[in-house]
Amino acid sequence: MRRHPGFKSIVTHAVAVFMFFAAALSSQAQSIPSGTAIVVTNTTSLSSGTATTGQRWSGLLVNDLAVNGQVVAPAGSGVRGVVSDAESSGRLSKPGMLALELTSVNGIPVTTDMYAVDGEGHTKSNVTKIGGGTAVGALLGGIFGGGKGAAIGALAGAGAGTAGAAATGKKEAKIDAETTLTFKVQ
């Protein structure tokens, strides 16, 4: 059986066209549309005191992720993300802040909004410590030194309360391991 001389060229072109369309359909199925909510759990704990902007983190997909009725990532698939912002806490002000973004789901690249958390505020805690120190100092100063002693005791107590507030440390933002995080595809 003799083949037509252009047969090999036609078959080569047909295979190339088929591969192009298969790749196009595959890439279409491998993109996650804007507005899709992606729920994940992180696999390690993160803290604004130790995390750095650009640091990578990983987690697992909570639910199956379907695009056009086709599951592109089953529950338990690996996800990757990046710390988009991390600011450590100050001692008497400015609680820590931590923000994360998701960068891929089951190997499929995504761009998402940020999941951000702030550390606990210092204000209430500091007021309690400083005010309590002032009151205790004034009381003891009044007992031992009268009116002048109360004023001196109040100043000493306020100083001690401020030192106590500073010593109690920073209020870092934390995301514990296995925390459920929700991202929205942009």
Side-chain angles (χ1 to χ4, degrees):
M1 179 169 162
R2 196 157 191 223
R3 293 196 174 165
H4 193 280
F7 180 74
K8 188 174 182 180
S9 176
I10 291 171
V11 169
T12 303
H13 281 67
V15 168
V17 168
F18 174 76
M19 295 294 284
F20 173 77
F21 282 115
L25 288 173
S26 175
S27 71
Q28 207 173 28
Q30 296 297 315
S31 66
I32 301 169
S34 178
T36 302
I38 301 173
V39 182
V40 304
T41 58
N42 61 318
T43 54
T44 58
S45 59
L46 298 164
S47 168
S48 61
T50 56
T52 57
T53 300
Q55 176 181 330
R56 304 269 178 207
W57 62 272
S58 59
L60 301 171
L61 191 61
V62 172
N63 306 311
D64 287 349
L65 184 61
V67 174
N68 298 325
Q70 187 175 29
V71 175
V72 296
S77 294
V79 300
R80 298 209 180 270
V82 66
V83 174
S84 53
D85 196 5
E87 296 177 19
S88 187
S89 171
R91 287 217 178 264
L92 292 174
S93 63
K94 192 185 97 170
M97 194 278 298
L98 189 60
L100 309 177
E101 289 181 52
L102 200 56
T103 57
S104 71
V105 177
N106 200 28
I108 304 167
V110 293
T111 301
T112 66
D113 62 353
M114 286 190 295
Y115 179 92
V117 294
D118 292 323
E120 183 182 321
H122 291 274
T123 306
K124 182 178 178 185
S125 174
N126 289 348
V127 167
T128 302
K129 289 174 186 137
I130 295 168
T134 302
V136 169
L139 177 65
L140 292 175
I143 291 171
F144 296 114
K148 187 176 181 183
I152 294 169
L155 288 174
T162 302
T168 57
K170 300 180 174 193
K171 304 287 186 175
E172 300 297 352
K174 295 179 182 175
I175 299 175
D176 294 326
E178 299 184 15
T179 299
T180 301
L181 314 170
T182 302
F183 297 90
K184 188 174 273 191
V185 178
Q186 299 292 303

